[in-house]
Amino acid sequence: MPALKKIALTITSAALLSGFVLSPAAAADKDTSDDKQPKPPSTMSSLGGEQLGKAGTQVNLGPGAPVLPKKLSGRSWIVADAESGDVLAAHNSHWRLPPASTLKMLFADTVLPALQPTTLAHKVTENELSGVGEGSSLVGIKEDHTYTVHDLWLGVFLRSGNDAVHVLSEMYGGVQKTVDAMQAHAEELQALDTVVVSPDGYDAPRQVSSAYDLTLIARSGLQKKDFREYAATASADFPGEKKKGKKRESFEISNTNRLITGDIGVDPYQGIAGVKNGYTTHAGNTFTGVAERNGKVLLVTVMNPSAEESHAVYKEAAHLLDWGFAASGKVTPVGQLVPPRSLDTGTGIGGKGATPAAGAVQGPGGKAEATHASASNGSSGVGTALAIIGGLLVVLAAAVFLVNRRWPMAGRTRGTETETDATETDATAAETKDAEDTGKAGESAEDTGEAGKDVEGDPEGAGATASAAPTDKS
């Protein structure tokens, strides 16, 4: 073969080989992970301000304002001043997503006022537990056993028990009546991205909410003393199974909100006072929290972070709270948390899309309560200092934000430990057999938006679920 031809073939082969070798490396330089993530809709509600209807991160930094935390991976999030309603920053805050067990905040805000007094006792029937979704997180309620309304609410707030939600719903008048009332209340609060299908947030077709709505709902719930105290409780005793010839004992349940109780890799957040966490396989992790620092009260909601690190939803919420406290007074708000319809001041805050979400049942809604919170030590021993007056959240001067480390049990009959569906992993849970104490017991599939495919609870901890089906861990 002529020398020139050999040289030409060698050069050609080298060029082709370099292409095969270098092309994959060049492709690897481009991070395509974001390409696989769902994108927010091109059109979202702008209720609360035009910027809130825009996709992506919205923040108006002023002089001296810190930059937002890096590597925030939530599909949607918001951080707002609880008192003024100013939205300090947001990211796709009106994106309608499965809420998981954070929807239980709406359930509690709707039903709590109707089921009084909380000392009311109720004997559970088999029928009341029949509708609990497969894979639900449970507190361990047993049929033919008696519980007080207070017991049941502890099961909802601490263990995200769908069994407790279904019993309370039946006491309220039935699951469908409860769902209709929740939808009407959401509309009254102007939480118009929200569609309620199940009272516990269990995965169901069309069931959605948004970071904006969940923050409105939390703000409303925090006006109620009972709501505040349950949401801030770290642990409590729960009635166990009654065994023939033996005294009914109790077992300890712990709050699955890791910013209250802490866990490996996440510390309790200073100033935290609730509110609710959730998880399902379709919703991912969701969280709404409220915290106080130096007299400033902030609300934060994070939905479905994509980060694979443990407890990402809590870490990102904590980072946003830290940023919010540091940025307060140094940013121009990107929007407002609107007041309930019945308390609307007529300021015209709103925007496109200020109508109920598709699929929502239209209803007049209930009158929003404007109650004053007591700053004195109540049945919880603390009395978290929030009240909504005239539609605005205010901090009572004499009160402080504290976590109820134990719910007072004076004069209460202690019940036997119940057998659980899963092993508890919390230090306190080690003494009990109730899977609900694990903090990872899933909240029901209701949170996913696709019925039956979601498991409730905290995916990073062991939890008691109704079955091995998809778990919802709140």
Side-chain angles (χ1 to χ4, degrees):
M1 180 180 291
L4 289 175
K5 184 174 288 187
K6 283 186 178 180
I7 294 172
L9 287 173
T10 301
I11 293 173
T12 302
S13 300
L16 290 172
L17 180 60
S18 65
F20 284 119
V21 172
L22 295 178
S23 292
D29 288 340
K30 182 179 184 299
D31 184 0
T32 59
S33 59
D34 288 343
D35 296 340
K36 299 178 182 179
Q37 294 295 322
K39 304 298 182 184
S42 57
T43 302
M44 293 183 285
S45 167
S46 58
L47 180 65
E50 291 297 328
Q51 273 190 269
L52 298 179
K54 297 178 180 179
T57 301
Q58 307 299 317
V59 63
N60 301 322
L61 299 177
V67 296
L68 283 165
K70 296 180 180 180
K71 298 182 179 180
L72 294 174
S73 66
R75 289 185 185 176
S76 174
W77 54 259
I78 188 171
V79 58
D81 186 308
E83 182 177 359
S84 68
D86 289 343
V87 177
L88 306 183
H91 179 79
N92 302 326
S93 62
H94 276 295
W95 191 355
R96 293 168 178 169
L97 297 166
S101 285
T102 51
L103 194 65
K104 288 183 172 77
M105 295 188 297
L106 179 60
F107 170 72
D109 194 35
T110 303
V111 176
L112 253 173
L115 298 182
Q116 298 292 335
T118 57
T119 55
L120 179 67
H122 176 77
K123 189 173 183 179
V124 176
T125 67
E126 179 182 2
N127 184 61
E128 291 170 337
L129 298 175
S130 62
V132 176
E134 185 180 15
S136 287
S137 59
L138 308 171
V139 70
I141 291 172
K142 306 293 184 182
E143 63 183 80
D144 296 325
H145 283 59
T146 299
Y147 302 86
T148 66
V149 170
H150 172 74
D151 295 329
L152 296 171
W153 283 119
L154 286 173
V156 171
F157 278 88
L158 275 65
R159 298 308 311 162
S160 201
N162 287 0
D163 46 358
V165 170
H166 277 257
V167 173
L168 288 166
S169 295
E170 292 298 334
M171 294 176 70
Y172 186 76
V175 169
Q176 190 57 53
K177 179 180 177 180
T178 302
V179 166
D180 292 344
M182 290 170 65
Q183 188 67 61
H185 188 48
E187 293 173 24
E188 157 61 18
L189 297 179
Q190 300 201 67
L192 304 178
D193 298 325
T194 300
V195 176
V196 183
V197 179
S198 63
D200 49 13
Y202 191 88
D203 191 22
R206 298 184 299 103
Q207 183 154 269
V208 292
S209 190
S210 66
Y212 185 87
D213 280 15
L214 293 172
T215 306
L216 286 181
I217 292 164
R219 196 180 188 219
S220 174
L222 289 166
Q223 71 178 302
K224 298 174 176 63
K225 182 174 181 290
D226 287 347
F227 186 107
R228 293 191 303 274
E229 293 178 346
Y230 289 127
T233 298
S235 63
D237 288 344
F238 194 83
E241 185 176 1
K242 180 69 173 70
K243 296 181 180 179
K244 188 175 181 180
K246 294 184 179 181
K247 181 180 178 181
R248 189 178 186 184
E249 297 179 357
S250 65
F251 57 88
E252 185 177 74
I253 58 174
S254 298
N255 202 316
T256 58
N257 179 348
R258 298 309 182 198
L259 290 190
I260 288 181
T261 58
D263 200 1
I264 298 174
V266 57
D267 294 325
Y269 190 83
Q270 183 178 4
I272 193 70
V275 178
K276 190 72 187 75
N277 56 305
Y279 171 82
T280 64
T281 51
H282 289 279
N285 286 284
T286 58
F287 176 74
T288 297
V290 62
E292 182 271 345
R293 186 178 297 174
N294 299 324
K296 178 67 65 176
V297 184
L298 297 182
L299 286 159
V300 65
T301 296
V302 177
M303 302 186 77
N304 200 356
S306 60
E308 295 182 359
E309 68 172 330
S310 175
H311 299 311
V313 73
Y314 300 110
K315 293 176 181 178
E316 294 188 18
H319 291 328
L320 283 169
L321 286 171
D322 285 342
W323 175 86
F325 287 123
S328 181
K330 301 175 184 178
V331 297
T332 300
V334 297
Q336 284 280 319
L337 299 177
V338 296
R341 282 177 170 170
S342 59
L343 297 175
D344 198 328
T345 58
T347 55
I349 297 173
K352 299 176 182 177
T355 56
V361 177
Q362 300 297 315
K367 213 60 165 161
E369 298 179 6
T371 59
H372 296 256
S374 171
S376 62
N377 289 344
S379 61
S380 72
V382 253
T384 304
L386 289 179
I388 293 181
I389 302 174
L392 296 178
L393 197 65
V394 299
V395 182
L396 300 184
V400 293
F401 262 64
L402 293 175
V403 169
N404 306 327
R405 287 297 162 193
R406 285 286 296 171
W407 192 285
M409 300 299 295
R412 167 122 170 233
T413 301
R414 305 178 75 89
T416 63
E417 290 182 323
T418 62
E419 295 183 358
T420 64
D421 298 297
T423 302
E424 300 173 336
T425 57
D426 289 348
T428 56
E431 302 174 349
T432 163
K433 296 178 180 179
D434 187 316
E436 268 123 303
D437 281 4
T438 63
K440 296 176 183 174
E443 294 177 331
S444 59
E446 66 227 31
D447 291 356
T448 64
E450 289 186 25
K453 293 187 177 179
D454 195 340
V455 187
E456 292 186 317
D458 182 344
E460 290 150 10
T465 58
S467 75
T471 52
D472 176 8
K473 304 180 178 181
S474 301

